[in-house]
Amino acid sequence: MMRAFQLAQQRHLDISPDLAELFTRRLRAVTRTYQYAKRPREMFKGILEKKGEVGRTLRMMHRTDFLGRYIPEFGGLTCLVQHEFFHRYTADEHTLVCIEKLDALRETANPKLMPYRTLLDELAEPLVLYLALLLHDTGKAVGARPHSEASALFAQRVAARLQLSSEQRKSLILLVDHHLTLSNIAQQRNLDDPETAIEFAKIVKDQKNLNALMLLTLADGQGTSADAWSDWKESLVWHLYHEASRYLADQKTFYEETRIHREALTHALRTTLSNEYSD
């Protein structure tokens, strides 16, 4: 069954109605033993490694209910209505749309999206990012608030079944647990305060995670609704991204540039304001 989906991805084919019906009738074969089996595991990871070609394949899996049987953590999102202002889709559809938005970056010619395309092209392990997108809202299936914490626990469980490496597991759990952090900090905190960038950089830990989180944030925003990802929000997110990148690249230089900038501001204020404001 997994091999059929892998072939459909590799050769840009669709699953025929007869084969889809056969899969649906044989879903009982997707047992706990199957979920831990090596060959399906390696094929599924291979499917998630194909940048730009993942969403269509996962949607085929979902149509036959195979995806929810193989990754039951995602299966709990099927037809789950999200009672939130911005969400246009059920939780399972939102997840698939997010993955398709990420896929679309691979071929985009939109100048506004080219920086994201560059990040995706440079991404060394697309498996982790695609898996994070697949699992980022799974906590909603159990009604958890905040759902990100429960989603991270589900991600840990899936990572163990798929036998991800230690580094892959850490990145996956970080991305799922903090899939809202970049957007929230960018909109709710003072971005002119260097401490904001420092605090966020310490959360993401390295540039690789930061790049992946930037792509996840875009896909999550675009996959929510047309109104959920605005130019204003995007500018804030990029500002925080660049400041965190500076800190991760060279902490000593970041602190020195911050000190120089503040001294320049202080000097400018002293020369502009009257003496009564000297204190």
Side-chain angles (χ1 to χ4, degrees):
M1 295 169 87
M2 188 71 80
R3 179 66 175 146
F5 289 115
Q6 187 179 46
L7 285 170
Q9 182 193 55
Q10 291 172 349
R11 305 189 184 194
H12 307 285
L13 302 171
D14 289 323
I15 298 295
S16 72
D18 288 343
L19 186 56
E21 183 182 354
L22 176 62
F23 282 3
T24 301
R25 293 203 309 267
R26 292 299 305 275
L27 286 177
R28 63 183 180 277
V30 186
T31 61
R32 183 174 177 83
T33 301
Y34 182 90
Q35 292 167 356
Y36 280 88
K38 181 179 179 180
R39 286 193 65 200
R41 176 177 73 235
E42 294 306 315
M43 283 185 256
F44 184 68
K45 289 160 71 172
I47 288 170
L48 297 184
E49 286 282 358
K50 299 289 186 181
K51 295 178 187 177
E53 301 175 26
V54 177
R56 191 180 71 88
T57 310
L58 293 185
R59 190 173 284 281
M60 281 192 289
M61 289 182 176
H62 188 45
R63 285 199 194 108
T64 63
D65 291 328
F66 176 84
L67 182 58
R69 289 282 297 213
Y70 187 65
I71 306 291
E73 294 80 3
F74 171 80
L77 299 180
T78 302
C79 297
L80 179 66
V81 176
Q82 304 186 79
H83 299 284
E84 297 173 12
F85 179 75
F86 280 114
H87 275 286
R88 292 181 53 195
Y89 307 109
T90 55
D92 56 333
E93 180 64 13
H94 161 72
T95 299
L96 294 175
V97 170
C98 287
I99 293 171
E100 289 165 347
K101 293 291 185 182
L102 181 63
D103 277 343
L105 291 177
R106 199 70 200 277
E107 303 297 332
T108 188
N110 186 340
K112 289 178 61 178
L113 296 177
M114 290 308 291
Y116 300 102
R117 178 177 174 174
T118 300
L119 290 180
L120 182 60
D121 288 342
E122 295 174 351
L123 192 68
E125 289 188 316
L127 161 66
V128 174
L129 176 56
Y130 277 109
L131 193 56
L133 270 173
L134 182 64
L135 302 172
H136 77 280
D137 274 351
T138 49
K140 291 182 178 181
V142 293
R145 291 184 179 274
H147 70 273
S148 55
E149 294 179 6
S151 298
L153 291 175
F154 283 139
Q156 193 167 6
R157 203 159 71 184
V158 174
R161 281 207 311 273
L162 295 180
Q163 294 194 12
L164 300 187
S165 68
S166 176
E167 285 303 310
Q168 288 174 328
R169 289 189 195 193
K170 289 176 184 176
S171 292
L172 174 66
I173 293 166
L174 186 148
L175 291 175
V176 173
D177 195 18
H178 292 284
H179 70 271
L180 297 174
T181 301
L182 174 54
S183 180
N184 286 345
I185 290 180
Q187 293 177 78
Q188 298 171 9
R189 300 281 294 277
N190 177 15
L191 298 183
D192 290 326
D193 184 355
E195 287 301 320
T196 300
I198 293 170
E199 180 183 329
F200 174 65
K202 288 179 178 178
I203 291 173
V204 297
K205 294 182 172 56
D206 59 43
Q207 190 67 43
K208 179 186 70 173
N209 289 335
L210 177 58
N211 291 347
L213 188 58
M214 188 68 178
L215 290 168
L216 193 155
T217 302
L218 170 74
D220 193 19
Q222 288 188 331
T224 299
S225 74
D227 300 326
W229 189 253
S230 63
D231 291 344
W232 169 76
K233 180 184 289 188
E234 188 172 33
S235 67
L236 296 178
V237 167
W238 272 116
H239 184 103
L240 180 56
Y241 169 88
H242 288 307
E243 289 300 298
S245 293
R246 284 204 307 122
Y247 178 81
L248 291 169
D250 190 337
Q251 295 181 24
K252 184 176 179 180
T253 301
F254 181 88
Y255 284 118
E256 182 63 18
E257 289 177 350
T258 298
R259 183 186 64 79
I260 293 172
H261 178 62
R262 288 196 166 182
E263 287 179 354
L265 285 176
T266 303
H267 177 73
L269 281 170
R270 282 180 178 146
T271 56
T272 303
L273 298 176
S274 61
N275 290 334
E276 62 183 295
Y277 295 103
S278 59
D279 288 344

